[in-house]
Amino acid sequence: MENNFSLSETRSVSGENIIELVDVVKCFDDDTVVKKINLSIKKGEFLTILGPSGCGKTTTLRMIAGFEDATSGKILLEGIDVADKKPNERDVNTVFQSYALFPHMDVEKNVSFGLVEKKVRKSEISERVSKMLKLVMLDGMEKRMPDQMSGGQKQRVAIARALINQPKVLLLDEPLGALDLKLRKQMQIELKHLQKSLGITFVFVTHDQEEALTMSDRIVVMNDGTIEQIGTPREIYNHPKTRFVADFIGETNVFEAYLEEAGDGEIQFNMEFGHCRLPISDFNLEEAVYICVRPENLRITADETPNFRIFGLVKEHVFIGSTCKTLISLANGMEVKVTSPQTDALFPAGSTVNIYWKPENGVILHRKADRVYDIIENAVILEG
Ligand SMILES: Nc1ncnc2c1ncn2[C@@H]1O[C@H](COP(=O)(O)OP(=O)(O)OP(=O)(O)O)[C@@H](O)[C@H]1O
Ligand SMILES: [Mg+2]
């Protein structure tokens, strides 16, 4: 399905791709945890792999790093198949969530470790270590031991230790996962600046969608071993291609609807709790669709609207800083979330309201783009 996007990218092998995954599969015993994924990563980009726990993010990263072999498919680094290359023979370094610092070594020794192993000259090592510690804002902490440092500082040591080898690619597996929210936000900005100033390709793994939206040039949304969508944060947020992506990224209201001709170039979307008419073509009549509308794009009114017959009961308002979230119950029990600026007048709980949105703010997905539907389709093909 949406893998077509990445496939076509992979096939147009261009010089600017630094990493390419071609039909990569990973099985552990009978379990296929990465299911034939295709992905091209551009030189110098900040690419984030985002997905729920267990979807295969770490496994994918470990295959790129060389800690894990792909069961089938190819991994290319700068156009060269790296199947036979050990981790230390790849121009790739990894930062793990757990820092993995050497506890008995001070900051300087931790950071210089890779260069000492490579037998780099002492004077060069000290020059590079001091430059690197400045870069991650740890100058002056050369002699500190890991257990004398905060989580954020330890993570910076881990990043400096990985970057000092001047890798072409830095793989980061939930590097900020152990930090509290404030420090995490600060480190997100620092990391992004670091990546921009160094021009190194970052492949960043997280299950935090806000983190992915903030930091990335492009996001790969993974689910259950497959790639659901690849795109810029804006594309992923505004134009989700599957119901999973719509649900996983940000908050969204998903309405199930069946299509009916309404005349005048309009289509009526029938739902369990009402209907709306939208000026949309390109859909087969009687096709089942999802309409996804973000809470900030839903509007409430007490009046009748010409094209929307969706009524609900205001349940409650929840204040969240600068905005207010209103929960509305529809006739079938579905709960709809609407966010509005706190300055807007609110309908009291218990009022009946009409819900509507601007047609361009509703993302309409073919139901067959959904995973469940796909499986049914495949089953039909197999039987045929
Ligand atoms: N060495 C292994 N042996 C067997 N199964 C494994 C192994 N490593 C990972 N798995 C399984 O592969 C699947 C994907 O795991 P992976 O660690 O890649 O997920 P993840 O997306 O990184 O999740 P999380 O967000 O929790 O870190 C999981 O079901 C996991 O149990
Ligand atoms: Mg993981």
Side-chain angles (χ1 to χ4, degrees), residues 138-317:
L138 286 179
D139 36 334
M141 294 214 178
E142 288 78 359
K143 300 296 169 206
R144 285 275 186 100
M145 300 302 283
D147 64 3
Q148 298 171 321
M149 307 184 91
S150 74
Q153 289 166 337
K154 278 190 264 196
Q155 194 51 280
R156 277 184 248 181
V157 177
I159 291 165
R161 190 178 58 177
L163 285 176
I164 203 161
N165 299 316
Q166 299 171 332
K168 290 186 174 140
V169 178
L170 190 64
L171 306 175
L172 302 109
D173 193 356
E174 311 232 12
L176 311 180
L179 308 181
D180 68 42
L181 190 65
K182 201 167 165 209
L183 189 55
R184 190 176 175 130
K185 299 238 168 203
Q186 183 193 333
M187 285 290 292
Q188 286 173 2
I189 295 167
E190 285 177 16
L191 259 185
K192 179 79 191 168
H193 283 168
L194 198 62
Q195 187 264 340
K196 271 204 167 148
S197 65
L198 295 171
I200 296 177
T201 309
F202 274 33
V203 184
F204 185 93
V205 162
T206 183
H207 59 255
D208 179 336
Q209 43 101 9
E210 201 182 313
E211 187 161 279
L213 291 171
T214 320
M215 301 183 77
S216 324
D217 293 321
R218 286 193 307 154
I219 299 173
V220 177
V221 184
M222 276 188 84
N223 177 29
D224 192 20
T226 64
I227 292 178
E228 292 266 338
Q229 190 172 351
I230 304 173
T232 63
R234 220 166 263 277
E235 282 164 356
I236 298 273
Y237 188 84
N238 290 331
H239 306 287
K241 288 217 158 61
T242 66
R243 177 168 179 168
F244 176 83
V245 176
D247 272 335
F248 193 70
I249 314 290
E251 262 192 316
T252 198
N253 297 288
V254 181
F255 303 112
E256 294 183 12
Y258 293 86
L259 275 50
E260 188 186 311
E261 178 76 59
D264 297 334
E266 294 214 323
I267 286 191
Q268 178 154 317
F269 292 74
N270 292 320
M271 297 164 253
E272 268 188 323
F273 40 79
H275 67 259
C276 63
R277 287 184 179 189
L278 301 169
I280 284 158
S281 53
D282 197 27
F283 280 86
N284 297 322
L285 288 178
E286 278 142 51
E287 188 181 350
V289 297
Y290 293 118
I291 310 176
C292 307
V293 193
R294 299 281 182 201
E296 67 268 25
N297 289 329
L298 275 184
R299 299 278 173 273
I300 316 169
T301 169
D303 311 321
E304 297 244 314
T305 54
N307 292 323
F308 287 82
R309 290 279 180 281
I310 305 174
F311 296 97
L313 214 59
V314 174
K315 233 171 102 182
E316 63 174 307
H317 303 290

Side-chain angles (χ1 to χ4, degrees), residues 25-91:
V25 174
K26 179 67 189 178
C27 305
F28 289 113
D29 303 323
D30 292 341
D31 222 5
T32 309
V33 302
V34 173
K35 301 170 183 169
K36 222 174 182 184
I37 62 169
N38 285 278
L39 172 63
S40 299
I41 304 173
K42 293 177 196 142
K43 246 183 203 136
E45 85 172 321
F46 195 120
L47 182 107
T48 298
I49 303 178
L50 171 70
S53 185
C55 73
K57 303 180 298 293
T58 296
T59 305
T60 302
L61 217 59
R62 287 174 59 83
M63 288 191 285
I64 297 172
F67 298 124
E68 211 70 76
D69 291 329
T71 307
S72 65
K74 273 188 195 160
I75 296 174
L76 310 177
L77 292 181
E78 297 191 299
I80 295 164
D81 192 330
V82 289
D84 297 329
K85 292 199 175 182
K86 295 194 188 82
N88 60 1
E89 295 166 347
R90 303 181 184 195
D91 247 343

